[in-house]
Amino acid sequence: MSSSTMAVTARLLLLLLSALAHVSASTLNVHVVPHTHDDVGWLKTVDQYYKGLRNDIQNCRVELILDTVVRELSLDANKTFVYVEMAFFTMWWRDQSDATKQLVKQLVQNKQLAFANGGYCMHDEAAPDYVAMLDQTAVGHRFLRQEFDYTPSVGWQVDPFGHSHTQATLLTRGVGFDAWYFGREDYGDLLRRKLAQELEFGWFRGQPSTEQDPGLAGLMESGNYGPPPGFDWDPTRSASDFIQDDPWLEDYNLDGVVDDFVAKAHAIATLYRGKSDATCRLCGTCGGDDANQPPRWCTRLPDSAPATKTHASNVMIKMGSDFNYANAYGYFKEMDKLIHHVNERYGDQVNVFYSTPDRYTAARHAESLTWPCLGSDKPNDLFPYEHRGNSYWTGYFTSRPALKFYVYEMQRLMYSARILEVATRATMSWNVQKLNAGLPTARLALALGLVQHHDGVSGTEKQHVADDYARQLAKGYDGTMAFVAEHVPQLHGTVPSALKFAPCAFANASICTASESLRGGADTKRVVALYFNADTTERKEYVRVPVAETAGLVVRELDANYQPKGDPIESQVVPLNDAQRRFRARYLYSATSGKASAATTTNGAVAQLVFAISVQPRSTAAYSIEIDKMATTNARARPSTVFSTSAVMNQRVAVRPTALGEDLRAPGRSSKEQHSSGTAVVLESGVPVAISTQDGDVPFKVSIALYNSSSGNAPFVDDSDNQWPIGRAGSTLPVPGLDQYPGPNSGAYIFRPNSSDPVRLHPSSTNAVVTAGPIVSEVYMSFDATLSATLRVYPDSDEVEVNYHVGPLMEEGSADAKFAGSEPSITYDTAGAVKSEGRMITDSNGYRAMPRERGTKPGYEPISEPAAGNYYPITAFASIASDTTALGVAVDRPCGAASLTDGAVEVMVHRRLQFDDSLGVGEALAEDECLPEEAGGDLVCRGLMVSGTHRVVLGSADGMPAAMRAAQRHNRHPLVALFAADTGSLDSEKASTSSTSSLAAHSERAEPAVPPLAYVASVELLEAPVVLRKRSSGGKIHALVRVSHMFGPGEDATHMTPVSVDLSNAVGYGQVTDMVEVTLSGNQALAEYDAKKLVWDTSCHSSSSGGDRQAIRHDDKGTEVELHPGDIRAFEVTIEVSDNIEALR
C-alpha cells in the first residue's frame, strides 16, 4: 500500500471513529443537528439579510448568527453546528480578526463546525445549467479547501422545489459527497415513502463510471427541514414554548416535553429502515415485567406500516430553520436541557447527542443495510413537486423570464471571457478573502453564484430582490465586458487606434449606436463588426445588425490588420416588423441613458442587415459594413421582397430563401418536388400549416395557449396535523381530502390555471407579413396586440427560427385584459403527425435527456391537474417523437414545457399575475418596467415585455437527439459581438505587421483539435493549484478544465461511441504539462475521494436484463482523456504558455 493510500485510509478511519463516538449499539441514537437555512436573497437582498436591514420585511441578521454560533461552540466541545451558504460565510470571514479565524479553524478541525453542500448558495434544481451549478459549488468548495483543508462530504438541498437527475448525479458523487439530503417532495410520494420505509435510497443512473456506486439520497420525513412540532426554540420566532424545568415555578412542562420528544424520535425511526425491532423498541411488548405497561411515550404503528416492524438505529432531528440562531445562546440552552433530561430519564432507550449530517451519514452506513433504489433503466427525477392537492410548483419554471435570460446571457459571456483569461494570462492578485477579486470575471462569477440560488434564477423572490440580482450581474458584466472588449480585438490582430470596440447590449431590441451611425451624410464611413467564437467547433451562422441606411450597404471580411480581403459578402436588408419597432421604441431611451441621439431616433434603425459568417474554433472574424452606392448590384445588400396579405391569401405557398424578385412557390407542385435544400414554411391563407423538408410536408401549426390564472376558490385547509410525521394513520393513496383540495392561486411558485383548456389564439391571416430574400425569408404572425412571432428560414438549415415578442400582458383591449393572471405558452403542433403517445423528452439542467409521460408520476398516483401537473422544467430543449418523425424545440432560457396532446409541444414564455400563491413571497408576480419614452421624459411604467428565440426542428426521429444537442450548443455559446464606428482610419492607417486570426491555429489542422462529440464544458483560470501543490511560476498557469461527451447513454444510437480529447486542445492555448483528475468542483483529487468514499449496498446494481452493470474504465493516454456517453470529467492542469501572445496564434 502506498503512503498516500495509507494516509487516505487513516483519514477515513478517523472520520468514522469520530462519527460513531457517540453512537450506541443498543439504543436509538438521536442525532440533534443544529443548523440554519439562510437564503442568499428572497424577501430581502443578500446584503440586507447579512446586515439585518429592512427588518420590517423579515427580522433576521446573518452576521449575528455566525457571531453567536461560533461563541457557543467555543464554550462547549460537545456542541455542533452545520453551515451551508458560503456567500454569507465568506462575507463574515472577511470581517474577522486573525484570532477569530484561528478559533474557527480549530472548531472545524474539532468537527464541531461542519459544512454541508458548501456551495456559494443552495442552488435551484430546475432553472440552472449544470455548469453553473458546478461553478457556484466550486467557488465555495475552493474556499473551504484553501482556508480549512475541508472537503464537504454531504449535500444539503433542503429547500429547492423539486429535485433533478443532475443534482443526484453530478452534484453528489461528482463533487465528492457520500450522501445528500433534501426536504421537499411531492406529498403523495412522501407519504408512500414513509409507509414503505423508503425515505433514504440510492439514486440510479449516475455517470457511466459511477453507475455501480450511487450515493445515498435522504428525504426528510416532514417534507421540510425544520424541527419537529413543539421544538422550534429560536428566540426570534418563539414558535414553541421553552422548557420550564424548575418545579418551584409555575407552568412546569419538562415531563411533557421530554416524553413528546422521545415519542417523536421513535415515530421518526419507524419511517426509516433498519434492523432494530420496532415493536419492542416502541411499546415494550418484548416480554418482561413492563410488557403490559408501556412507557408514556409509546406510539402505536399504523396498520399500514411495514410488516417487518423494524426501524432505524439512527435518526436525524433537524434543529433549525430560516435564519435561526441569531441568538444561538437561547437555542442551545433549550437543546442542552432537552439532551440532558432525555438521556437522564430514558438513557436505556434513547441516546441523544449533538451531531452533524456527515456524522449521521457515517452512522447510517455502519448499520450495514441494503437500500432501495430510485429508478430502473431510465434516468428519472422528482419533478414536478406538489405539496398538496392541486398545488403544482410548475409556475416557477418560467417566472421572471427576462431575469432568467439575463442570467443565461451572463453565463455565456463568462464562458468566453474565461477562455480569454487563459489566452491572455490575466494578471492576478487573488486573495482568498476577496474571492478571485483579481480576475476580470471574478465579480461576475460571484454574481452568477448568488443568482443560482433557489429563490434567484427560479424567479420566486420579491421584485426588489430580483432587481438586486440584476444589479449584481450588471456590475459583474461591466468589468468582464471591458476585459473582453479590450482583448478580443487584439487577439484578432493589430488594431487601428481609431477603432474603439464596444458591445451592442440592446441589439435584441434593434438598438446599436455604432451600426446606426452609418447613414448618408454622417461622419461614420464604415462600421466594423468583430465576432469571437470561444467554442471548440466552427461556427457558421447568420448574424443580424441594426441599420439606419438600407441602400448601398456592402459587407466585406477583414484580415488580421482590419483591412478588406476578398470579394464582398452576400447580405440582405430585412425591414423591422411591427413587434420589433414596438420593442425598439420601448427600450430606446433606456439603452441610451435617456439621451438618444438623432442616429437612434428619427434617423435610427429601420431594418436589420443579415449576412452569413464563419468563425473558426477559439478564433475571431471581422467584417466591415459601409455604404458604397457605386458598388455593383451583386456586391450590395439585397433588399427583401415584402409580400402583401393579398399575395399570400387564398393559395398555398412555401416560404423559403429566394432569389431577388423571385415569386413564392406557386401551388400545384408538391413541396418535396420544389425543395432544394433547407426547410420551408408552408402557408395556406397566410397561416403556417406545414413544414416542408426533403422528405415532404409535415403538418405544423403555431398558436398561443393563453392560460387564465386561478384566483383561488376555497379557503386554506390546515392539514398540518395529518402531514407529520406519517400522514393520516392507516390511509391509502391518494390521501382523502388532499387530492380534492381546490387549491390556491397561481403565483410565483404555482401554476394553476382556472381551466386546463386555455384560450387558444391563432395567428391572424389578415396581419400576416411575408418577407423573402436570398439569405432569410420570414413569416410575421400577430396573435394579439401584445403577442406575436416571426418564423425564419435560412438556406441549407433544417431549423425554423422562431422569434417571439410577448407583452405587456393584460393590457386594455387584449385577449387577456380581464384575466386573474396571464400565462401564455407557444404551442407547436403537428396535428397528430408525430404520434408521441403521451411521451416527451426534456433536458435535465442541460445534462441528460429525461423521458416524460403525460398524466403520470413515476411510482405513485396520477396527476390531479391536467395542465399544471404535466409541465416540466427545461433549460435547453423539449422534443416528442414517433417511430419515424420527431418535433424538437430548443430554447434560449429556462422555462416550463409540456406535451398536453399527442404531436404537440408547448413552451411557456411569460407570466403576469394579480394574486400571490400564499407561499411566502407576499406579492403578486406582476413585473413592471419603468422607462423613459422620450428624451428627458419621466419614467413610464408598463408591464414587462419579453423577446426570445426558439429553434424548432421537424425531422426524422433518429436525427432529433443530435439536432437538439446541436441547437443547445449553439444557444449555450453565442458569438461575442463587438462593434466600432470608423470615420476613415482604415483608409489612412495601415498596420505594419500581419498575423493570423486563428488563436489556436485550428485552421491549419487536418482534423478538428477537439472532436465534435467532445464538449469543453468550462475552462477556469486558477491563481494557484488546489490539488497540484505547486505555486505558479514564470511561464506556467493553472486551470480547472471540465470536458464531457455530447450525449448521454442511450440518447442517440448513432453517437454512442467513446471519444478522446487532448486537454491541451481543450484549453486551447499553451501546452498542458501536468494534470490530475479531480471532483467536478475541483476541491480534491478523484482518486483521493474514491479511496475514502462510503459505498452503499443498494438495489441499483441490477439492470432489467439481469446481472450487474459494469462501471466504465477510461483508457486515458497522457493528456488525452477518454469520454463515454454521459461522462463529464474535471482536471486540474498546469499549462506552459509563451510570454508572447503572438506565439499562441
Side-chain angles (χ1 to χ4, degrees):
M1 180 181 297
S2 68
S3 59
S4 60
T5 303
M6 292 176 63
V8 170
T9 303
R11 184 176 177 182
L12 177 59
L13 180 59
L14 288 173
L15 173 65
L16 292 175
L17 289 175
S18 172
L20 301 178
H22 297 279
V23 173
S24 169
S26 59
T27 63
L28 173 63
N29 296 287
V30 181
H31 297 250
V32 173
V33 177
H35 78 99
T36 178
H37 175 65
D38 297 343
D39 293 302
V40 296
W42 179 39
L43 307 182
K44 305 199 295 187
T45 70
V46 61
D47 295 343
Q48 290 168 350
Y49 273 132
Y50 180 68
K51 284 295 186 181
L53 306 177
R54 292 300 308 273
N55 285 332
D56 57 312
I57 298 176
Q58 190 176 8
N59 186 15
C60 48
R61 184 177 175 184
V62 172
E63 63 177 345
L64 287 187
I65 295 173
L66 292 166
D67 284 343
T68 60
V69 163
V70 167
R71 181 180 182 279
E72 289 304 307
L73 296 185
S74 69
L75 296 175
D76 186 346
N78 290 315
K79 287 185 172 68
T80 60
F81 196 81
V82 60
Y83 201 73
V84 176
E85 295 85 6
M86 292 301 101
F88 283 128
F89 192 87
T90 52
M91 289 182 192
W92 180 81
W93 187 253
R94 182 180 58 233
D95 295 336
Q96 303 311 302
S97 66
D98 291 342
T100 300
K101 289 182 179 180
Q102 190 56 44
L103 171 61
V104 173
K105 289 182 178 180
Q106 189 62 51
L107 294 174
V108 173
Q109 185 176 342
N110 294 347
K111 302 189 184 303
Q112 291 178 257
L113 178 60
F115 300 98
N117 248 15
Y120 204 59
C121 71
M122 184 184 295
H123 54 232
D124 181 44
E125 297 184 36
D129 179 84
Y130 76 90
V131 176
M133 297 164 80
L134 292 172
D135 278 348
Q136 77 83 19
T137 302
V139 172
H141 281 199
R142 191 175 302 139
F143 167 80
L144 290 172
R145 182 65 189 264
Q146 292 178 329
E147 282 296 304
F148 304 105
D149 195 27
Y150 189 96
T151 54
S153 63
V154 171
W156 193 257
Q157 288 288 110
V158 296
D159 200 26
F161 329 120
H163 303 283
S164 74
H165 177 80
T166 302
Q167 177 66 38
T169 52
L170 301 188
L171 276 300
T172 49
R173 286 302 203 198
V175 296
F177 294 162
D178 292 318
W180 69 292
Y181 299 96
F182 58 96
R184 297 185 185 273
E185 171 53 345
D186 184 277
Y187 77 92
D189 188 46
L190 178 62
L191 179 57
R192 183 189 68 80
R193 289 185 177 279
K194 290 176 182 178
L195 299 179
Q197 289 188 322
E198 292 184 355
L199 290 172
E200 294 174 331
F201 49 89
W203 200 321
F204 192 32
R205 298 293 263 190
Q207 294 196 73
S209 55
T210 59
E211 282 190 348
Q212 283 294 90
D213 186 24
L216 186 72
L219 172 58
M220 297 173 180
E221 74 287 334
S222 64
N224 203 283
Y225 46 87
F231 300 90
D232 186 353
W233 288 319
D234 187 76
T236 62
R237 293 160 55 95
S238 301
S240 304
D241 285 341
F242 299 123
I243 296 176
Q244 209 294 74
D245 58 349
D246 187 344
W248 291 94
L249 302 179
E250 294 297 323
D251 300 316
Y252 180 83
N253 63 5
L254 178 63
D255 294 342
V257 172
V258 168
D259 290 352
D260 187 31
F261 182 83
V262 175
K264 284 182 165 65
H266 278 285
I268 292 172
T270 66
L271 306 179
Y272 293 86
R273 65 177 54 194
K275 295 181 179 180
S276 299
D277 189 310
T279 305
C280 172
R281 187 70 63 212
L282 287 177
C283 297
T285 56
C286 300
D289 296 339
D290 295 333
N292 297 318
Q293 294 182 347
R296 290 189 304 272
W297 44 261
C298 173
T299 300
R300 287 199 58 195
L301 289 171
D303 295 336
S304 54
T308 57
K309 296 192 184 303
T310 62
H311 73 74
S313 296
N314 293 271
V315 297
M316 177 166 55
I317 304 293
K318 286 73 61 182
M319 297 299 288
S321 190
D322 293 6
F323 300 98
N324 282 188
Y325 292 87
N327 180 355
Y329 168 77
Y331 212 140
F332 273 111
K333 183 174 183 177
E334 298 307 305
M335 290 188 291
D336 284 345
K337 290 189 285 187
L338 177 71
I339 292 172
H340 169 75
H341 288 298
V342 170
N343 286 335
E344 182 180 61
R345 297 189 179 200
Y346 296 114
D348 60 333
Q349 297 288 338
V350 294
N351 174 33
V352 187
F353 52 92
Y354 287 115
S355 188
T356 58
D358 53 325
R359 292 187 189 182
Y360 169 76
T361 300
R364 287 294 275 160
H365 183 267
E367 291 187 49
S368 300
L369 303 172
T370 298
W371 306 91
C373 180
L374 176 71
S376 54
D377 284 336
K378 294 181 178 180
N380 43 63
D381 60 16
L382 297 176
F383 285 116
Y385 166 54
E386 185 185 21
H387 79 292
R388 65 174 72 245
N390 302 96
S391 300
Y392 285 93
W393 296 42
T394 54
Y396 83 96
F397 299 160
T398 307
S399 295
R400 303 194 187 280
L403 177 64
K404 283 178 163 66
F405 181 69
Y406 192 26
V407 171
Y408 268 54
E409 282 290 273
M410 294 304 97
Q411 289 168 188
R412 294 156 183 157
L413 172 63
M414 190 170 71
Y415 181 95
S416 297
R418 281 182 163 173
I419 296 298
L420 288 173
E421 283 179 333
V422 174
T424 60
R425 300 180 302 125
T427 301
M428 294 171 295
S429 56
W430 184 23
N431 184 314
V432 150
Q433 296 177 1
K434 296 182 179 180
L435 283 176
N436 272 359
L439 293 174
T441 59
R443 190 162 193 170
L444 181 58
L446 296 186
L448 283 169
L450 276 180
V451 78
Q452 307 306 325
H453 172 55
H454 58 272
D455 284 308
V457 68
S458 59
T460 54
E461 63 273 31
K462 280 184 176 292
Q463 183 63 54
H464 80 104
V465 180
D467 294 341
D468 183 68
Y469 284 132
R471 278 192 295 269
Q472 302 250 19
L473 290 170
K475 291 176 181 178
Y477 168 85
D478 288 343
T480 300
M481 182 51 79
F483 168 76
V484 170
E486 177 185 358
H487 287 90
V488 167
Q490 295 174 12
L491 292 176
H492 181 74
T494 304
V495 187
S497 59
L499 291 183
K500 307 299 181 184
F501 284 95
C504 287
F506 286 79
N508 66 336
S510 302
I511 300 170
C512 180
T513 301
S515 64
E516 292 179 70
S517 69
L518 181 66
R519 63 192 188 281
D523 292 336
T524 300
K525 303 302 181 184
R526 61 183 61 82
V527 171
V528 176
L530 178 61
Y531 300 93
F532 174 58
N533 174 20
D535 200 3
T536 57
T537 60
E538 181 184 5
R539 290 295 295 272
K540 295 181 177 181
E541 64 180 77
Y542 297 90
V543 296
R544 309 175 77 90
V545 179
V547 290
E549 184 72 55
T550 61
L553 294 175
V554 177
V555 180
R556 292 185 173 91
E557 187 173 4
L558 301 179
D559 64 16
N561 298 315
Y562 291 89
Q563 297 299 313
K565 65 176 183 179
D567 296 328
I569 294 172
E570 186 178 35
S571 58
Q572 178 183 339
V573 175
V574 181
L576 300 183
N577 58 44
D578 287 345
Q580 290 171 321
R581 287 192 290 269
R582 185 162 51 90
F583 259 60
R584 174 181 162 79
R586 178 62 174 148
Y587 294 103
L588 178 59
Y589 293 93
S590 175
T592 56
S593 301
K595 298 178 181 179
S597 66
T600 51
T601 54
T602 57
N603 297 319
V606 296
Q608 293 179 333
L609 180 66
V610 185
F611 54 96
I613 67 172
S614 175
V615 191
Q616 293 299 311
R618 300 280 170 83
S619 184
T620 57
Y623 300 85
S624 71
I625 305 168
E626 58 187 287
I627 300 173
D628 185 357
K629 296 184 178 180
M630 300 302 293
T632 65
T633 301
N634 289 337
R636 297 197 302 266
R638 306 294 204 280
S640 298
T641 303
V642 180
F643 292 88
S644 63
T645 302
S646 60
V648 294
M649 290 292 290
N650 303 319
Q651 57 179 313
R652 185 180 180 94
V653 297
V655 178
R656 82 230 182 276
T658 63
L660 182 63
E662 182 181 356
D663 199 355
L664 298 177
R665 295 289 185 184
R669 299 169 58 196
S670 72
S671 296
K672 184 174 182 180
E673 293 174 333
Q674 300 165 6
H675 190 86
S676 56
S677 62
T679 292
V681 176
V682 179
L683 306 182
E684 279 190 356
S685 301
V687 175
V689 295
I691 294 294
S692 175
T693 70
Q694 292 182 350
D695 296 322
D697 292 357
V698 180
F700 178 76
K701 297 181 179 180
V702 182
S703 62
I704 300 288
L706 197 58
Y707 290 98
N708 183 359
S709 307
S710 170
S711 58
N713 52 6
F716 181 79
V717 177
D718 183 4
D719 60 302
S720 57
D721 290 339
N722 296 316
Q723 290 286 297
W724 197 96
I726 55 176
R728 299 168 190 254
S731 68
T732 58
L733 294 178
V735 181
L738 292 186
D739 55 313
Q740 284 83 31
Y741 172 62
N745 314 315
S746 263
Y749 300 93
I750 289 177
F751 169 40
R752 186 169 186 255
N754 69 348
S755 170
S756 294
D757 295 321
V759 174
R760 182 68 62 178
L761 301 181
H762 297 279
S764 169
S765 59
T766 59
N767 292 329
V769 177
V770 176
T771 305
I775 303 296
V776 62
S777 288
E778 304 183 349
V779 180
Y780 171 72
M781 304 177 298
S782 175
F783 300 90
D784 189 62
T786 60
L787 301 166
S788 66
T790 302
L791 278 58
R792 297 170 178 156
V793 288
Y794 298 94
D796 302 314
S797 174
D798 294 329
E799 296 179 349
V800 176
E801 182 181 286
V802 180
N803 178 234
Y804 61 85
H805 292 82
V806 179
L809 296 176
M810 301 166 63
E811 290 276 284
E812 184 176 351
S814 62
D816 57 0
K818 300 186 181 303
F819 280 13
S822 181
E823 302 173 81
S825 293
I826 300 179
T827 303
Y828 303 101
D829 191 355
T830 66
V834 177
K835 303 184 185 305
S836 50
E837 298 180 344
R839 295 186 296 270
M840 179 176 67
I841 298 292
T842 69
D843 73 282
S844 173
N845 307 107
Y847 172 51
R848 294 283 286 271
M850 304 295 298
R852 310 295 188 184
E853 188 169 348
R854 184 170 63 246
T856 63
K857 296 179 184 178
Y860 47 107
E861 79 280 3
I863 63 145
S864 60
E865 290 270 347
N870 282 300
Y871 260 77
Y872 291 92
I874 63 172
T875 65
F877 59 82
S879 66
I880 56 174
S882 61
D883 292 340
T884 59
T885 309
L887 169 68
V889 182
V891 297
D892 60 0
R893 73 198 70 194
C895 52
S899 178
L900 301 183
T901 59
D902 285 353
V905 172
E906 66 178 56
V907 179
M908 189 172 288
V909 293
H910 202 350
R911 308 182 77 220
R912 182 174 177 85
L913 313 170
Q914 292 192 41
F915 301 98
D916 180 39
D917 51 19
S918 302
L919 292 171
V921 179
E923 65 182 32
L925 182 66
E927 294 185 276
D928 285 336
E929 289 179 301
C930 299
L931 304 171
E933 294 189 345
E934 61 182 7
D938 295 334
L939 299 182
V940 178
C941 297
R942 302 185 189 277
L944 177 70
M945 301 169 71
V946 174
S947 174
T949 300
H950 294 163
R951 299 181 183 279
V952 180
V953 179
L954 187 55
S956 71
D958 291 342
M960 189 54 64
M964 288 294 95
R965 288 300 187 183
Q968 175 189 6
R969 187 165 188 163
H970 183 281
N971 287 338
R972 182 178 270 164
H973 300 303
L975 299 173
V976 174
L978 302 171
F979 298 88
D982 172 42
T983 58
S985 63
L986 294 186
D987 294 331
S988 59
E989 183 177 345
K990 300 295 183 181
S992 59
T993 60
S994 63
S995 58
T996 174
S997 63
S998 176
L999 304 180
H1002 288 288
S1003 60
E1004 299 176 5
R1005 304 182 184 186
E1007 296 293 333
V1010 176
L1013 280 182
Y1015 172 61
V1016 181
S1018 64
V1019 178
E1020 180 183 0
L1021 189 64
L1022 302 175
E1023 184 271 343
V1026 179
V1027 178
L1028 292 170
R1029 298 296 186 177
K1030 300 176 184 177
R1031 300 293 287 180
S1032 298
S1033 58
K1036 292 187 177 181
I1037 59 175
H1038 303 275
L1040 175 65
V1041 183
R1042 301 189 190 102
V1043 290
S1044 71
H1045 198 286
M1046 280 294 295
F1047 295 89
E1051 185 178 329
D1052 184 344
T1054 61
H1055 295 100
M1056 289 298 98
T1057 57
V1059 62
S1060 293
V1061 58
D1062 192 298
L1063 292 182
S1064 292
N1065 294 333
V1067 171
Y1069 309 96
Q1071 185 67 37
V1072 171
T1073 59
D1074 196 6
M1075 56 178 278
V1076 60
E1077 186 164 11
V1078 294
T1079 57
L1080 296 178
S1081 61
N1083 67 338
Q1084 57 189 311
L1086 191 60
E1088 176 187 348
Y1089 167 64
D1090 284 340
K1092 69 181 181 182
K1093 69 183 179 184
L1094 301 180
V1095 178
W1096 303 91
D1097 181 11
T1098 73
S1099 59
C1100 302
H1101 297 301
S1102 298
S1103 67
S1104 60
S1105 58
D1108 287 346
R1109 300 179 64 91
Q1110 295 300 313
I1112 290 173
R1113 304 299 176 190
H1114 296 106
D1115 184 19
D1116 299 338
K1117 297 180 177 66
T1119 60
E1120 190 172 277
V1121 299
E1122 185 180 54
L1123 301 167
H1124 289 256
D1127 267 344
I1128 173 171
R1129 303 175 66 188
F1131 299 86
E1132 186 176 302
V1133 301
T1134 300
I1135 308 164
E1136 186 170 354
V1137 299
S1138 169
D1139 291 333
N1140 184 359
I1141 198 66
E1142 292 289 335
L1144 298 179
R1145 296 195 178 113

